[in-house]
Amino acid sequence: MPAPSRLRLGVNIDHVATVRNARGGHLPDPLRAARLAEAAGADGITAHLREDRRHIVDDDIEGLMRELKVPLNFEMAATVEMIDIALRHRPHAACIVPEKREERTTEGGLDAAGQHNHLKPMVARLRDAGIRVSLFIEADPRQLEAAVALGAPVVELHTGRYCELDGEPQRAELARLQKAAALCARLGLECHAGHGLSYGDVGPVAAIPEVRELNIGHFLIGEAIFVGIETAIREMRRIMDAARVPGTAA
Ligand code: PXP
């Protein structure tokens, strides 16, 4: 098997905005967090502009597009409003996620198979604008094949369930992620993964050779309260890199 390529780390800064919005006003500033994340070696910044603007708001996206040196991964629901915003800003990447108002975070993956007709023109418009489209889906062969049919070049596998489990059920979920990542390679899809990852569970996912990028937010922002965002990101990077060396995976 070829040596796995370097794994990119996208840092999701949504929850800096969550803390800011708890009080209104401007602090803490998500843009400052993004700059520090860049300085600490993040390969990209991820931000989810939700329909209800509960964390990231439109001005944050403006600021990130204006100031970031690393690519922005714009997480968005498949709505006309969000497509218009993405086309206005033209971020490096757009990750289409399912969105329900009542959920606390993104629960479950996008039903790319069931929503083919709704998603097809949206994926096409983003792609035509030069935006790298990814679909946030469960590690399910049916969804991977649907991503191919939609013309999405990238999928992000939802690791939420893996992170919530322990022991044998967690190993079974990891095997499902590994199989899905291998299928991505056969289907010509670039494979990313994310949701819920922490120092304790990132290693085995980072070790999957077909996974090219991880997007991690809530844990890093929480850890940053105690050790600072740069230290938290560097430690995550260290664990990811160590897991990536062949023969050292947990
Ligand atoms: N990837 C996607 C598509 C997401 O929606 C999220 C959460 O916004 C993440 C990754 C990051 O998840 P977490 O904040 O739990 O690390």
Side-chain angles (χ1 to χ4, degrees):
M1 194 190 291
S5 55
R6 184 177 180 277
L7 185 59
R8 294 192 299 268
L9 171 61
V11 174
N12 180 316
I13 55 161
D14 290 351
H15 296 300
V16 179
T18 303
V19 177
R20 174 196 60 195
N21 297 359
R23 277 291 168 96
H26 301 288
L27 300 174
D29 179 5
L31 208 52
R32 183 175 173 199
R35 282 191 218 106
L36 289 170
E38 270 184 348
D43 299 290
I45 298 295
T46 295
H48 184 179
L49 185 68
R50 279 184 167 268
E51 185 197 4
D52 62 8
R53 308 304 197 264
R54 72 176 71 158
H55 37 58
I56 294 295
V57 297
D58 300 64
D59 282 353
D60 294 324
I61 300 295
E62 295 249 10
L64 290 167
M65 283 303 297
R66 197 176 52 241
E67 295 211 12
L68 280 185
K69 291 187 200 74
V70 294
L72 176 67
N73 177 29
F74 178 66
E75 280 186 15
M76 50 173 274
T79 63
V80 172
E81 181 199 15
M82 288 301 152
I83 293 283
D84 287 348
I85 293 172
L87 293 177
R88 200 161 64 242
H89 290 295
R90 293 177 188 249
H92 168 77
C95 180
I96 302 182
V97 302
E99 205 175 292
K100 295 188 218 102
R101 242 172 210 276
E102 63 279 11
E103 70 190 356
R104 233 187 277 172
T105 180
T106 312
E107 293 161 6
L110 187 73
D111 185 6
Q115 291 190 66
H116 177 92
N117 293 345
H118 174 66
L119 293 170
K120 181 90 184 176
M122 299 202 172
V123 171
R125 288 186 71 196
L126 293 167
R127 278 196 72 159
D128 289 350
I131 300 169
R132 186 197 73 186
V133 181
S134 75
L135 305 179
F136 186 47
I137 57 172
E138 292 294 330
D140 171 352
R142 204 172 133 254
Q143 297 297 344
L144 296 181
E145 278 150 21
V148 175
L150 285 166
V154 181
V155 294
E156 181 168 328
L157 301 178
H158 197 312
T159 53
R161 189 173 341 173
Y162 158 81
C163 294
E164 278 167 15
L165 296 168
D166 290 306
E168 193 41 46
Q170 188 181 49
R171 280 191 286 282
E173 184 60 21
L174 178 64
R176 204 164 78 99
L177 291 164
Q178 288 164 333
K179 270 197 205 144
L183 180 56
C184 281
R186 293 201 296 280
L187 294 173
L189 291 166
E190 181 168 315
C191 184
H192 300 176
H195 208 280
L197 293 167
S198 66
Y199 296 155
D201 47 33
V202 74
V205 178
I208 301 173
E210 296 86 357
V211 174
R212 302 288 309 279
E213 177 176 311
L214 297 181
N215 284 297
I216 309 180
H218 182 265
F219 174 82
L220 285 174
I221 302 307
E223 191 63 10
I225 294 169
F226 304 106
V227 300
I229 192 167
E230 290 176 280
T231 303
I233 291 170
R234 289 206 175 97
E235 177 61 5
M236 186 61 82
R237 180 83 258 170
R238 187 193 65 73
I239 297 170
M240 285 166 52
D241 289 345
R244 203 73 171 164
V245 178
T248 60

